[in-house]
Amino acid sequence: MTETQQVMTINMGPQHPSTHGVLRLVLDLDGETVVRVTPHIGYLHRGVEKLAEHKTYHQFITLTDRLDYLAPLSNNLGYVLAVEKLLDLKIPKRAQYIRVLLCELTRISSHLLWFATHALDIGAMTAFFYCFRERETINDLFEMVAGARMNLSYFRIGGVARDLPDDFIKKTRDFINIFPSKLKEYETLLTKNKIWLMRTKDVGVISAEDAINYGLSGPSIRGSGVKWDVRKAEPYSSYDEFDFIVPVGKNGDVYDRYTVRVEEMRQSNEIIRQAMDNLPNDRYMADVPDVAPPAKEELKSSMESLIHHFKLVTEGICPPAGEVYFSIEAPKGELGYYLVSDGTKKPYRVKIRPPSFVNLEALEKMVVGRMLADVVAVVGSLDIVLGEIDR
């Protein structure tokens, strides 16, 4: 007696709730078992890298917000650090600490949205409401600093747009004092929940060797036990002055990627505390007239400052000809910017290395041989955002 295999091809997405954006997966199924999966991308393509060639270096900051719109400040930071490397520009310590503080708030905010939607994908609804409650508080803090809740564009080449407002430190301290108890609340819902364990343990496994070979980064590689974090490996923006650990998993499954992100939120909370405790009393913008704009409060009283500001905004900056690459540890993994300058006021080329695009490549390795329902759990555990995939 011979067994026959009947393979059926189905579409999952684009715009399926569990694909977290306009991702389309073409699934070949034998019954409910996945035989092959092919991700199709390009439904959101906006040509951001090409647009950069038609913007001044300052103007492009606002477009970086739209890449990973759940972590806009991380994208701001990766880009401005690349430009500052091109300019060989030194940044005041206060600006560096403010950047660290806000990027770690961004990491918590991004992980909260991942936690909420990942749990919802697998059928746990309460966590969704809990996480959005705390995320709203973080959005309030962002609004205090930047005047916006989502596309912040707060970082500048040379520092940050303005100093922290008066009540910001107090309200942020209130948040980080209460947040660890909220994390415990989330974990009470899921970490030892029998259904959660059945849906995530030994699902979507990828070994440390395969994770390295695929070029994974962020929680997707750390869940496989690889201790790779750009903040530790190649410190930037004073991260070497902060005390924190890099959590890793053991089995490389969906559950390990879950526990890594939960612990990362705890670590980010402590980094924020250290940044506020040791915030230097320094300038928030480098004192380099050819690159950095004057403080806004000077514009009303100084004609020279007004002219200086006008020239920078209308003419931009002209970094020396050359090429640089700079990467940071964004919430989803290693985010890199490669810039080529021909000495004019606009970048000659911009190439972005986004973590979601690379992490998505390993999807087939994780789901072939698993059940259809596991695809939902695995895609959620990668925490992709199509804005940085379809650049």
Side-chain angles (χ1 to χ4, degrees):
M1 181 177 175
T2 58
E3 291 186 1
T4 58
Q5 186 187 51
Q6 291 186 329
V7 175
M8 179 173 62
T9 302
I10 66 167
N11 282 309
M12 182 175 168
Q15 297 176 335
H16 187 283
S18 297
T19 56
H20 296 215
V22 283
L23 174 65
R24 174 184 169 220
L25 298 175
V26 178
L27 295 160
D28 290 346
L29 301 174
D30 178 13
E32 289 191 55
T33 304
V34 179
V35 176
R36 186 168 57 204
V37 57
T38 308
H40 285 243
I41 61 174
Y43 294 95
L44 192 66
H45 186 57
R46 295 171 295 184
V48 171
E49 291 161 331
K50 196 66 181 173
L51 280 173
E53 299 170 14
H54 302 276
K55 303 286 183 188
T56 66
Y57 284 89
H58 281 115
Q59 286 173 336
F60 185 62
I61 294 174
T62 56
L63 290 181
T64 62
D65 284 331
R66 277 75 175 170
L67 292 164
D68 178 0
Y69 33 80
L70 304 177
L73 289 173
S74 298
N75 283 273
N76 286 175
L77 182 62
Y79 172 68
V80 298
L81 285 173
V83 179
E84 287 162 2
K85 184 178 179 181
L86 199 57
L87 292 161
D88 193 22
L89 188 63
K90 290 186 178 178
I91 309 305
K93 275 287 179 184
R94 183 177 181 84
Q96 292 186 31
Y97 271 55
I98 291 174
R99 287 175 173 184
V100 168
L101 193 164
L102 290 168
C103 280
E104 294 307 319
L105 272 177
T106 299
R107 192 180 313 279
I108 293 176
S109 171
S110 177
H111 282 2
L112 282 176
L113 193 133
W114 156 80
F115 195 114
T117 54
H118 185 43
L120 195 64
D121 287 345
I122 302 180
M125 181 172 280
T126 306
F128 183 87
F129 299 121
Y130 283 7
C131 290
F132 269 70
R133 180 185 59 194
E134 273 66 70
R135 194 166 176 273
E136 277 302 297
T137 305
I138 296 177
N139 283 343
D140 289 343
L141 295 172
F142 287 155
E143 191 174 7
M144 285 182 70
V145 172
R149 300 171 70 82
M150 194 166 181
N151 296 316
L152 306 179
S153 299
Y154 174 67
F155 295 163
R156 293 288 185 276
I157 299 165
V160 296
R162 61 189 72 85
D163 208 353
L164 297 174
D166 293 338
D167 288 343
F168 178 81
I169 295 293
K170 178 185 177 302
K171 292 193 174 180
T172 305
R173 207 177 285 281
D174 290 344
F175 172 76
I176 64 168
N177 285 339
I178 199 171
F179 185 61
S181 65
K182 301 299 180 185
L183 267 177
K184 285 182 183 175
E185 201 172 83
Y186 310 153
E187 288 201 276
T188 304
L189 293 171
L190 298 180
T191 301
K192 295 181 181 177
N193 183 304
K194 188 176 179 181
I195 298 172
W196 184 257
L197 293 172
M198 290 173 69
R199 292 296 309 273
T200 59
K201 276 276 188 184
D202 299 322
V203 174
V205 176
I206 187 160
S207 67
E209 183 182 4
D210 285 337
I212 293 170
N213 289 339
Y214 274 100
L216 303 190
S217 60
S220 295
I221 194 171
R222 291 194 284 274
S224 298
V226 181
K227 204 171 184 176
W228 169 253
D229 188 314
V230 183
R231 294 173 297 175
K232 287 282 190 184
E234 297 170 3
Y236 54 89
S237 202
S238 297
Y239 265 109
D240 53 334
E241 298 173 13
F242 292 83
D243 184 24
F244 64 100
I245 64 167
V246 178
V248 293
K250 293 180 181 176
N251 303 317
D253 54 16
V254 171
Y255 186 76
D256 278 3
R257 293 190 279 278
Y258 158 78
T259 55
V260 163
R261 287 193 180 92
V262 170
E263 184 56 32
E264 281 189 5
M265 284 194 272
R266 202 166 276 120
Q267 293 299 317
S268 291
N269 202 64
E270 292 312 305
I271 293 173
I272 294 165
R273 190 187 305 279
Q274 292 172 46
M276 290 193 295
D277 289 345
N278 303 306
L279 188 64
N281 187 18
D282 197 359
R283 295 175 60 89
Y284 63 86
M285 178 63 82
D287 186 14
V288 184
D290 290 343
V291 175
K296 282 199 172 181
E297 50 267 27
E298 293 177 14
L299 301 184
K300 295 179 181 176
S301 58
S302 168
M303 179 59 75
E304 289 76 15
S305 295
L306 190 62
I307 294 170
H308 171 202
H309 186 271
F310 179 78
K311 284 179 72 65
L312 267 181
V313 171
T314 55
E315 298 178 5
I317 58 173
C318 297
E323 54 187 290
V324 295
Y325 176 78
F326 202 100
S327 65
I328 66 160
E329 187 67 34
K332 295 167 181 61
E334 182 175 347
L335 169 68
Y337 282 84
Y338 171 69
L339 304 180
V340 180
S341 168
D342 58 359
T344 65
K345 63 182 181 180
K346 297 176 182 176
Y348 181 72
R349 286 287 184 274
V350 173
K351 176 68 179 173
I352 304 164
R353 189 269 185 210
S356 293
F357 180 79
V358 181
N359 292 343
L360 184 63
E361 289 179 313
L363 180 64
E364 184 167 24
K365 184 76 177 176
M366 295 178 179
V367 301
V368 167
R370 302 293 310 183
M371 304 293 280
L372 173 60
D374 293 335
V375 176
V376 172
V378 174
V379 171
S381 76
L382 291 176
D383 189 22
I384 58 169
V385 160
L386 270 293
E388 63 176 17
I389 292 176
D390 294 343
R391 298 178 306 286

